[in-house]
Amino acid sequence: MRRAARVVCLALAGHVVAAACAPGAWAAQPAASRAAIPGGTFATVLPPAEKVKSATVRGFQMDRRTVSNAEFAKFVSQHPEWRRDRVARIFADDGYLKHWQSAGSPGETLAAQPVTQVSWFAAKAYCEAGGARLPTWYEWEFVAAASATVPDARNDPQWRQAILEWYARPASATLPAAGSTAPNFYGVRDVHGVVWEWVLDLGSMMVSADNREQGDPDDKRFCGTGALTMEQKENYAMLMRIATLSSMQANYTSSTMGFRCVAGSEPMP
Amino acid sequence: MKRLLAALFVLVICGTAAHAAEPAALPSNSLYQLQAALTDQDGRAIGLDVHRGHPVLVTMFYASCPAVCPMLVDTLRATEKQLDPATRADLRVLMISIDPERDTPEALRSLAASRRIDTSRWTLARADSADVRTIAALLNVQYRQLPGGEFNHSTVITLLSPLGVVETSSSKLGTPDPALVAKLGD
């Protein structure tokens, strides 16, 4: 019941924002299409520090689905510096939006699909243009722990198996439309089974528990992924996600990496 | 070419209006493509390109750091000492804080004073956390705030060309990186 009330309030707030920003101002997604995520403390696969195995997130609002090509095209039309023919190479590699029909349009078949081939810089700029930001790893992980019925299903072997089956599927040529997978406990879709997603704190995913000793940086980059200190080794899906994220640099693009935005207070460290 | 450089030089001297006046000249891989809002130790609003027109050593740190950051200042100084006077006079240093919460301009100014940093050539700067993340990503600096408020971060010293293109970078601390010194001498 309390949850329902919160969702209603959020929906109302969304209307106010939409009215205030009305013509001209562009929003990534109206706030009403974000799900309210209550904060909480949970056991993370990526311990924040030695001997600290839990992470805390404050309440925030998360996009109910991944950002689509059509939505990203709207952003690009209003921020032409992010067109693939204008973007500074420092912010995106040459795979950036290369699957689009033209520099300004994804084409009809791609319109509803999650946008991929976008760099971290571009994803971050998209969210910020809409007054939002990328989720942190802990925020994403917190939401991703939920099944359709409970907020933390990570100890449910059946649920884990279902997620793993997605990773076992071959990367197909066509992605499902953004928002076409079943909602989880919070009403958030596409968390598993569609694309990898950028996180705000990409640059902290590779830091080892003690990064102060200076050694071979390449060594550190690899050992520092957190893999050595990760918890819940049976949670392969999460470990794969971290491995994928930590192999990405901020200007990289990939046909399997998309994103969504969140709104809410500054993330906890 | 010479005229262009002279023009750039004038722009840099004239300072802040640089953004609007010099389009097109920036290479696509220049870090100065980023429009970041930084504040220096004297509370002045600056951009990442504050030292455009000069070679710059850029690094990220936080002022309350107990161990690595003092060493970072020492390393930058030792690197400068290896240079001939003309090269040194042309070189600039930009240290950007990863701790926007605590590193106010006052905190940066007091660090500059206590370490006797010459702020005519060195700039200590802060930015809000969104810009800090972007700058860190551009410089390949990894950092994470620990639950106690301290940071784990990788220390990277990056040499930027006068137009903001990465020439080389080093994560060597304690003694000057010969590769960095060699590149500066070029």
Side-chain angles (χ1 to χ4, degrees):
Chain A
M1 189 57 212
R2 262 216 343 251
R3 227 178 89 69
R6 194 181 295 123
V7 171
V8 169
C9 290
L10 189 68
L12 286 174
H15 281 296
V16 174
V17 170
C21 304
W26 173 86
Q29 277 185 323
S33 69
R34 296 201 172 109
I37 313 296
T41 297
F42 69 109
T44 171
V45 297
L46 202 61
E50 231 177 316
K51 298 192 185 119
V52 184
K53 303 215 186 264
S54 62
T56 300
V57 295
R58 295 192 189 110
F60 61 101
Q61 297 89 46
M62 178 178 262
D63 284 359
R64 290 181 186 272
R65 56 173 177 76
T66 46
V67 173
S68 70
N69 281 304
E71 286 161 339
F72 201 80
K74 202 190 270 179
F75 161 74
V76 164
S77 75
Q78 296 183 11
H79 300 270
E81 70 273 23
W82 289 104
R83 285 166 59 100
R84 72 178 180 202
D85 54 357
R86 293 200 207 159
V87 71
R89 206 34 87 224
I90 195 102
F91 298 133
D93 65 22
D94 55 14
Y96 178 69
L97 298 180
K98 70 169 180 197
H99 60 319
W100 281 17
Q101 202 171 62
S102 67
S105 165
E108 238 172 80
T109 49
L110 293 180
Q113 287 180 18
V115 65
T116 58
Q117 302 290 151
V118 283
S119 65
W120 177 87
F121 292 112
K124 183 171 181 279
Y126 174 98
C127 292
E128 287 172 0
R133 59 177 171 81
L134 288 169
T136 64
W137 167 258
Y138 288 139
E139 287 169 338
W140 194 91
E141 187 187 8
F142 184 85
V143 172
S147 67
T149 51
V150 295
D152 191 347
R154 292 177 299 172
N155 290 322
D156 175 351
Q158 262 185 320
W159 178 77
R160 277 213 302 249
Q161 191 54 38
I163 288 173
L164 271 183
E165 273 159 22
W166 170 58
Y167 297 93
R169 250 180 284 154
S172 70
T174 331
L175 290 170
S180 60
T181 61
N184 74 4
F185 176 80
Y186 302 109
V188 175
R189 297 166 190 265
D190 306 342
V191 176
H192 299 284
V194 185
V195 288
W196 309 109
E197 293 178 35
W198 286 117
V199 293
L200 182 64
D201 48 348
L202 177 74
S204 66
M205 313 236 15
M206 291 175 266
V207 173
S208 65
D210 188 356
N211 203 30
R212 293 240 172 83
E213 77 276 342
Q214 299 289 316
D216 178 359
D218 292 333
D219 235 0
K220 200 173 291 121
R221 160 162 298 247
F222 219 72
C223 302
T225 58
L228 296 178
T229 57
M230 274 197 281
E231 299 294 316
Q232 307 164 31
K233 307 267 191 294
E234 68 288 357
N235 197 340
Y236 303 115
M238 279 300 163
L239 303 193
M240 281 175 70
R241 204 164 266 267
I242 290 173
T244 302
L245 280 167
S246 56
S247 71
M248 300 289 284
Q249 295 206 10
N251 67 332
Y252 285 11
T253 64
S254 147
S255 61
T256 52
M257 184 67 80
F259 71 99
R260 73 179 73 222
C261 311
V262 299
S265 53
E266 270 290 293
M268 305 270 294
Chain B
M1 186 65 191
K2 226 175 189 168
R3 193 172 296 173
L4 180 69
L5 281 178
L8 278 177
F9 190 62
V10 169
L11 278 170
V12 167
I13 293 211
C14 302
T16 53
H19 273 124
E22 52 194 44
L26 280 185
S28 189
N29 60 344
S30 165
L31 264 62
Y32 298 160
Q33 295 278 355
L34 181 72
Q35 306 285 312
L38 277 63
T39 308
D40 75 4
Q41 71 282 337
D42 297 319
R44 279 182 297 234
I46 55 171
L48 193 56
D49 57 353
V50 58
H51 295 307
R52 183 171 174 168
H54 294 269
V56 192
L57 294 175
V58 187
T59 190
M60 297 186 86
F61 78 111
Y62 65 108
S64 57
C65 169
V68 170
C69 304
M71 230 166 120
L72 188 57
V73 173
D74 294 343
T75 307
L76 288 163
R77 280 210 168 115
T79 305
E80 281 199 334
K81 279 209 182 108
Q82 305 268 311
L83 307 172
D84 64 76
T87 309
R88 187 163 58 233
D90 193 38
L91 182 68
R92 298 290 179 268
V93 174
L94 175 59
M95 298 181 68
I96 302 167
S97 168
I98 54 171
D99 186 5
E101 206 127 295
R102 285 180 293 184
D103 286 347
T104 58
E106 294 72 39
L108 297 177
R109 195 159 58 238
S110 99
L111 178 72
S114 71
R115 296 301 320 265
R116 299 203 167 95
I117 286 170
D118 169 12
T119 52
S120 70
R121 286 195 310 110
W122 287 38
T123 300
L124 307 182
R126 71 178 299 283
D128 69 25
S129 63
D131 275 346
V132 168
R133 282 190 200 281
T134 308
I135 295 166
L138 287 171
L139 295 171
N140 237 334
V141 169
Q142 292 148 32
Y143 70 102
R144 173 198 287 277
Q145 189 165 16
L146 301 174
E150 294 243 332
F151 288 83
N152 266 351
H153 68 110
S154 58
T155 45
V156 183
I157 299 173
T158 303
L159 172 62
L160 297 183
S161 74
L163 285 179
V165 176
V166 173
E167 299 266 13
T168 186
S169 68
S170 166
S171 43
K172 201 167 154 60
L173 267 191
T175 53
D177 189 330
L180 204 59
V181 173
K183 197 83 193 176
L184 278 163
D186 279 354

